[in-house]
Amino acid sequence: MIESPPDFRGVFRTDLLARAMYAEGAGIARCIPAGVAVPADADDVPALVRWSKREGIALMPRGSGSGMAAGAVGPGVIVDLSRLRQVGPVDVDGRLIRVGAGATRGEIDDAARREGLRFPVDPSSGAFCTIGGMVGANAAGARTLKFGATRPWVHGVRCVFDDGTDVWVRRGAPWPIGVPAVRRLSDALSQISAQLGSEIPAYALTHVGVRKESSGYAIADTLRADGHLVDLLVGSEGTLALFTEVELSLIPVAGATATILAIFDSLEAATACAVEARSDGATACELLDRTFLDVAATDGPTGIPSHAEAVLLMEVEGESAGEALQAMTHLGARATRHGASEVHTAVDADNEHRLWALRHAASPILSRLAPRLRSMQFIEDGCVPPDRFPDYVRGVRRALDHFEMPGVIFGHAGDAHAHVNPLVDVTRSGWRDRVHGILDRVCELTAVLGGTLSGEHGDGRLRAPLMDRVWGLEARAAFAHVKDAADPAGVLNPGCKIACEGDQAITMLRHDPDAPPLPAVARAALDDIERTRRWNRFRLDGLDG
């Protein structure tokens, strides 16, 4: 039994009920942790980290539990940072906001909008995901097409490094080299740069042509002339330091938006249009593949013809309604030139919401499928160079068909980034072999196409053992060097991003009917969380007791 850390003022529990409540997140994994720590405030975290290093006990930071890649589900002590929810006043002139790591993206954006500003990175989980998790995974979303992922919007991070040192790391400020972990990181980066040459080869540390990337460490970004330690910390998934506060850059709210729904009889035509949508100024361009449309149609008429192969949902914005209308007209004409059979437009909020409703239709439908079918997101974050996107989608379809497994494909087509929900019949003999077979084929497909396995959800424990499938030896050695420099004791989220010996991508699945049962109270609570997607509001009744 792990003893409560001395000098830690928060809640620390090791009973089975508390641990079981943190055994799952939004992804496929289940693992009962060794304990749960809930810091009282940001100043409480250093004591926990010092204890962790002294005792050799792993810490796994967690916000809403909405991560898909099992970065916050594992065997160590969960550090629940979701109570660090303060949202500071908006610096309107500087367009900055300082928030706690547990503040949700929705809360932050609401605060900014009251001052005429916004935080433009908006993952689909934005209403409940925490900013600490977004920064940890370098999260993205539909509007990454125009605004990019989280990394460039992070101005500063308050970090607790492996020895408990609590320090802000900010762009425009010198690196805090007096911190031992930062000094070691600086030395490691210098060594990597020297080994790879003064100009870091793009092929070594990046996937060339890929528009979204949350796999590995952003070493190449950090070593650019305008790079900073902040770039390395963003996307590190709690493996280099724990984050307790974040400073974010903001931009003005859009004057007006407009939406286009274009229907295509050809996947190639749809993806060709999507690639050009970015150059036309689209803020978002979402693909709904035939597989998605079929599932959506099971809930009633969608208005999409049965022969359609794909739908694109595209959004534009402007400083005025006229400017947005002009951009919409231009993009709609682009879709028609690419062979769209139908183009529907909306310029007011109600009609825009109506068009986007199709994009959000599948999740509740999937939750109502026959009990034997389980949506398992184990190949859910692939991103490839845009000209290879049709090959990727068709390749995923072929893998699903080969193993006779239905699935739903959708995603951020403008970034050539797809989400895939295989629907696994867990009552059918050999289902585990089919899951592993699909994973193997899609990993091979992604590598052949020059893509990444993680466009926006991070490596976590799901993809860490698969790094050798898409990253070369030089990159993996550099990633391991960075991890060892920041965390030589190996207590900061071990097994996440850098696999431990013997780790496998798929081990215990929460949908596995043969998995050991959780306590009934915990199972009921987790089922309720999954149904309502209220991850950030989850609290164990009586946890403080």
Side-chain angles (χ1 to χ4, degrees):
M1 181 71 68
I2 300 175
E3 303 245 343
S4 179
D7 304 323
F8 181 67
R9 295 177 287 107
V11 179
F12 190 88
R13 286 178 56 170
T14 57
D15 58 284
L16 179 59
L17 178 58
R19 291 157 51 214
M21 297 292 273
Y22 288 83
E24 298 177 1
I28 64 172
R30 176 193 291 177
C31 182
I32 296 179
V36 178
V38 186
D41 50 37
D43 295 334
D44 205 18
V45 176
L48 189 65
V49 174
R50 287 192 295 270
W51 165 82
S52 165
K53 186 171 185 178
R54 184 172 63 250
E55 300 296 328
I57 295 173
L59 298 180
M60 302 176 298
R62 175 170 169 138
S64 301
S66 60
M68 301 299 295
V73 176
V77 171
I78 295 286
V79 184
D80 182 350
L81 299 169
S82 64
R83 293 186 178 183
L84 308 184
R85 295 184 66 167
Q86 70 275 15
V87 177
V90 176
D91 177 355
V92 177
D93 293 336
R95 295 183 179 176
L96 292 172
I97 187 170
R98 178 171 163 177
V99 299
T104 68
R105 187 267 172 192
E107 292 168 338
I108 295 166
D109 192 57
D110 287 346
R113 286 179 182 274
R114 287 193 289 271
E115 302 294 340
L117 299 171
R118 57 176 160 156
F119 178 55
V121 186
D122 62 337
S124 59
S125 58
F128 50 86
C129 70
T130 64
I131 193 62
M134 287 184 64
V135 173
N138 188 35
R143 290 167 182 81
T144 304
L145 187 63
K146 183 174 179 66
F147 300 112
T150 299
R151 180 172 288 112
W153 300 97
V154 178
H155 182 262
V157 188
R158 183 179 173 185
C159 300
V160 180
F161 288 99
D162 70 316
D163 62 350
T165 302
D166 184 356
V167 64
W168 274 94
V169 179
R170 290 185 171 96
R171 297 187 189 277
W175 294 24
I177 296 296
V179 178
V182 174
R183 185 168 59 251
R184 295 194 301 267
L185 280 170
S186 178
D187 291 343
L189 290 169
S190 295
Q191 292 164 8
I192 292 168
S193 180
Q195 290 167 0
L196 295 180
S198 57
E199 294 186 5
I200 303 299
Y203 68 85
L205 297 174
T206 63
H207 291 106
V208 179
V210 170
R211 290 180 173 176
K212 294 169 76 173
E213 177 78 88
S214 67
S215 181
Y217 294 112
I219 297 172
D221 288 335
T222 309
L223 291 175
R224 291 192 321 252
D226 59 345
H228 194 274
L229 180 58
V230 169
D231 293 309
L232 188 70
L233 294 168
V234 176
S236 61
E237 299 186 67
T239 62
L240 306 183
L242 269 59
F243 305 150
T244 57
E245 291 186 81
V246 182
E247 285 180 346
L248 300 167
S249 298
L250 306 171
I251 59 172
V253 297
T257 62
T259 296
I260 300 159
L261 186 151
I263 301 171
F264 293 85
D265 297 335
S266 158
L267 178 64
E268 283 77 13
T271 53
C273 180
V275 170
E276 294 183 6
R278 185 184 195 186
S279 61
D280 282 342
T283 54
C285 182
E286 298 289 281
L287 170 76
L288 310 182
D289 174 73
R290 173 75 267 159
T291 57
F292 183 104
L293 299 173
D294 287 344
V295 169
T298 64
D299 208 40
T302 62
I304 306 299
S306 59
H307 59 78
E309 274 291 302
V311 164
L312 289 183
L313 270 166
M314 298 176 281
E315 182 186 82
V316 294
E317 65 179 48
E319 293 184 5
S320 66
E323 188 175 308
L325 178 61
Q326 183 179 19
M328 180 192 72
T329 302
H330 183 69
L331 195 54
R334 170 83 64 183
T336 300
R337 288 196 297 274
H338 276 285
S341 58
E342 297 181 34
V343 175
H344 303 269
T345 60
V347 293
D348 61 277
D350 288 343
N351 282 319
E352 285 191 84
H353 179 76
R354 178 178 56 81
L355 293 184
W356 279 98
L358 180 63
R359 167 66 173 80
H360 304 294
S363 292
I365 296 170
L366 290 174
S367 69
R368 296 196 297 270
L369 291 172
R372 70 178 188 279
L373 288 179
R374 300 294 186 179
S375 177
M376 294 191 187
Q377 300 91 350
F378 55 89
I379 50 169
E380 48 78 40
D381 203 27
C383 189
V384 298
D387 62 333
R388 308 308 301 272
F389 193 52
D391 298 329
Y392 180 79
V393 174
R394 293 200 184 281
V396 171
R397 283 183 182 178
R398 284 194 296 271
L400 293 170
D401 289 343
H402 177 82
F403 289 96
E404 300 177 337
M405 188 175 293
V408 177
I409 304 172
F410 58 100
H412 313 304
D415 290 316
H417 177 212
H419 295 313
V420 184
N421 288 18
L423 304 176
V424 184
D425 183 348
V426 295
T427 68
R428 185 180 175 191
S429 176
W431 68 265
R432 294 176 185 83
D433 291 337
R434 285 189 285 277
V435 165
H436 285 281
I438 292 170
L439 177 64
D440 180 69
R441 286 205 175 197
V442 173
C443 284
E444 181 179 2
L445 171 70
T446 306
V448 167
L449 298 179
T452 178
L453 296 174
S454 182
E456 65 183 8
H457 292 163
D459 296 307
R461 288 173 179 78
L462 174 62
R463 285 180 278 271
L466 303 171
M467 297 283 273
D468 62 342
R469 304 294 297 268
V470 293
W471 286 108
L473 184 61
E474 286 179 320
R476 286 182 283 125
F479 298 157
H481 194 20
V482 165
K483 169 62 176 172
D484 289 343
D487 180 29
V491 295
L492 298 180
N493 219 1
C496 176
K497 199 162 280 292
I498 304 293
C500 298
E501 185 176 356
D503 283 356
Q504 298 179 10
I506 299 177
T507 50
M508 187 64 70
L509 302 176
R510 64 189 179 104
H511 293 310
D512 190 337
D514 295 330
L518 297 176
V521 173
R523 179 71 272 153
L526 289 167
D527 287 344
D528 178 61
I529 291 166
E530 184 172 5
R531 282 194 300 271
T532 60
R533 311 297 288 173
R534 294 182 297 107
W535 297 92
N536 69 291
R537 293 196 291 275
F538 160 56
R539 297 292 182 272
L540 212 185
D541 288 341
L543 185 63
D544 291 329

